[in-house]
Amino acid sequence: MQARLIPLLIAFSILLTASQARAQCADWQVGPLDNGGAANGTDGVISAMYPWDPDGAGPGSAVLVVAGQFTSIQGVSASNIAARDPATGMWQPLGSGTDGAVACLTVYNGELIAGGSFAHAGGVPTNNIARWNGSSWQTLPYGTNPDGVNNRVNALTVYNNKLIAGGAFTLAGGAVYAHDIASWDPVSSWQTVGVGVGCNVLNCGGQVMCLTTWGGDLIAGGDFSDAGNQPARTVARWNGSSWLPLGGGTNGERVTCLQPYNGELIVGGEFSQVDQHPGGYVAASNIARWNGSAWQALGSGTNSDVLSLSVYKGVLMVGGGFSLAGGVGASDIAGWNGSSWTALGAGIGSSWVSSLMVFNAELVAGGYFNLAGGQPANSIARWNGFEWLPFGGGSAGIVFAMTNYTGRLIAGGDFHQNTNVGAAAHAIAGWDGVSLSAYGNGMDASVVALKSFKYPGVRGANELIAAGLFTHAGDVAANYIARWDQSLIAFPPPAWQAMGSGFNSGVYAIERYNSATYAGGAFTFSTSTVNHIARWNETTQLWEAVSTGMNGAVRALKVFGSYLYAGGDFTTAGGVSTGGLARWDGASWSQVGGFFNGTVYALEVHNGLLVIGGVYPGINSSPNLAYFTGSFYSTFATGGTNGAVRSLASTGTRLYIGGTFSSAGGVPASNIAYWDGSWHEVAGGANDIVYALASFNSEIHAGGVFTAVHGGALASPRWAKYSQTGVPWFVSQPFSQTIQVGDNVSFTAQPAPGYPGLSFQWNRNGVPLLDGLTAGGSMLSGATTPTLTLTSAVFADGGGYQMVLMSPCGNDSSVVASLDFTGVTGVAPPGPNGATVFEAAGPNPTRGPSQLAFSLAVEAQTRFRVYDLAGRLVRVIDMGRLPAGPHQGTWDARDDHGQRVHAGLYFVSLEVEGQRLGDKRLTVLH
């Protein structure tokens, strides 16, 4: 008997182990907010910044490289130099960095060049200058003594196809005597630039502190008094054969920065006058402009040093250690538009701005400071045109509400969050599974309630309404309620709009009933008396009373059956005694199965039942939670909760509850639990109140005031994700494509982050693919990565492509994307019925290039125009004159200046012979 039991026990053990493993897949993941505990900026000084595209003209985006004297940036260890990928917002060190400060950066022959005062880069002896090729640090080779320069490098640029280094040194390459400036190229190695600067027949002194090119010349600035043995005080130019002064230079100690602007050369530094020579001195406080023959001031200049210059959106940006620019209060940074000075918000706080760079349509400021726009920002921050944003940090005070809207989960509350690109999110943010997005400028106080729905009117296909404690939404006054107006067409661009005059106090709930919007809250007045509940009249654009309303706050609204149910603190509705729950039939209020004793905070429909959460005695010894069938009340087992139920969400199979309790139905459950026929804790729960619950792509999202979940083991301030199965999902799918034989083509399927142990397998027509040469002669790569690429595709490659995403918790499959070919000649019949058709644009959403498929009925001149939501022309893609048949263009998500566009919605218009024939919407992600 015992022998017979052993195999059964082993089998049971195997089943139990498998069951336990699968159960562990259901777990918490970190949400997208942080509460300021995240690392912010650097722990040192930022001295230089430069955009560098590691793959040149390839599909990859440029990264922002920053350098200086620091050991970490946004929590990432990096020795004096690091790069930030705009697609992920993550910083990466460049190898092991340098063993000393980096002062300057440039790009030469596709490689990143760094100069400063360091002996080694990546462990390689480099003597103050080194190059990074994308994977390792190297010296500047080919010379007999390729060992950099013998002292500090302050500035780098490229002139006449040579790398120019300026600083405080006398030797370059170990053998070339070069006074503070030298050139390098792979053929000639190190060479002098004339006799350098800072020397005359009597002595040598000074150094080069900045370099640029202007008017075909190399311009050098510093604290020297001579260039090429000629007087040239603090600034000089090299025309390729000799050094020449710029008038009489400046009267100050140094020129620290140079910038071409509006056809002139701007110089900044520490001086009070510039010398026309001849013509006498002109007052110019720390900044001046040279037009090729004479100096001029920029208004009254600044009241202290100018250390950095750049141009952003046509305005000259000036950074330094000043507090006034043109007499205008400007903390360390200001803008000059050609005639006047302006401040950039509250500016930078406490020290100086020594580096400025335009990157990804924002102005990035680096230096040594701890505030930007009044917010914590350690030595690096970015200006998007109207506000300062930090790199890292945040202030997630609370999340009150969640809803789904146009493929995103929207959260409202009291928080200020960095979104990596574009505006910060104030009190409201969207989550697409990968990144946060802002909705305009957000609100000036908490968002407490959200509602989204399909809107049948002319205003657009989707509506998002936010309500709470705010008085402004975006740039408009909106008393406690506003709507996000996103039309079906590009114009007007999405923006917040007020809903009439709003209310005189907070709004806590929003619901749609009989094609009308209802709002409930603590308010009593709009343009007329509306006691705690009101209905929006779309025709008059006014809020109307709903009978005589309630005698206390309405905190929850929900449609169930043919009624609108309201819950809250009230005891009467429309003059009828109801307790904290009442229903509206479109004409009058009534009780819900008798007088309800208590406060209702949340209402939800679950499997044909109206679930009621709040603080009340309850029935069947089950306080705070019950349901109403439409005829009578009942409960989910017995015991209820031992604290308030503040939020509810149904997935159909499960009912989730959140609030301030430690048990549900007698089962220990810390502030969150679910019911599927019995009560369960949610993997250790949350360590504080759960105010909001929502389902998004098979995940349960919880918001509140908690800072950790999973028994306190996982820090996730105010917002956390709970995967019910652990099976990953796709944030982007592959799309079908039609190409010509011999073209290259890629398919991408991107999984949501946060799911460990993933592996990928691409199939064609259900058969797993392998990297390498295919039977037809094309080359396949990436068969086990998120992106599959076919090089020189042939007809045999046609078919259906699908990714299988595998994890320890289960698998998922992408949609099937077809690959078709236009034919041997590359010209196939035109679109349906011989028409010209703009067929597809994708992938959509996209994080990179998008393919634009179209068919021409006849030969025609063809181009695409790309517009942003404000109607601004972003890019023109001229396809030339094309024959009849199907074709494909590409938009690389960059503007006409080569800069990567912001994340957001764009409209791609097809023009044929100058006539606009169709538009496609594309969502760009970062």
Side-chain angles (χ1 to χ4, degrees), residues 436-451:
L436 284 174
S437 56
Y439 282 79
N441 296 338
M443 280 65 171
D444 63 350
S446 298
V447 171
V448 177
L450 294 164
K451 182 67 179 180

Side-chain angles (χ1 to χ4, degrees), residues 585-609:
D585 63 6
S588 61
W589 290 101
S590 62
Q591 293 180 344
V592 182
F595 191 85
F596 188 91
N597 183 19
T599 297
V600 174
Y601 287 116
L603 296 169
E604 176 68 301
V605 176
H606 173 67
N607 292 340
L609 305 171

Side-chain angles (χ1 to χ4, degrees), residues 839-920:
E839 296 161 344
N844 193 13
T846 181
R847 287 186 172 79
S850 295
Q851 307 306 314
L852 312 173
F854 62 101
S855 294
L856 295 179
V858 295
E859 178 180 336
Q861 189 74 29
T862 309
R863 65 169 57 89
F864 288 97
R865 292 182 186 270
V866 183
Y867 298 87
D868 65 15
L869 282 169
R872 294 181 292 254
L873 180 63
V874 173
R875 180 76 177 272
V876 177
I877 304 167
D878 196 341
M879 302 293 293
R881 193 162 191 85
L882 299 174
H887 300 279
Q888 183 170 276
T890 301
W891 179 43
D892 58 2
R894 295 179 184 272
D895 62 20
D896 276 334
H897 302 291
Q899 296 295 315
R900 186 166 175 83
V901 299
H902 285 297
L905 184 64
Y906 292 84
F907 291 81
V908 183
S909 175
L910 173 65
E911 282 188 6
V912 177
E913 295 295 344
Q915 182 179 3
R916 184 172 176 176
L917 295 183
D919 297 301
K920 298 289 183 185

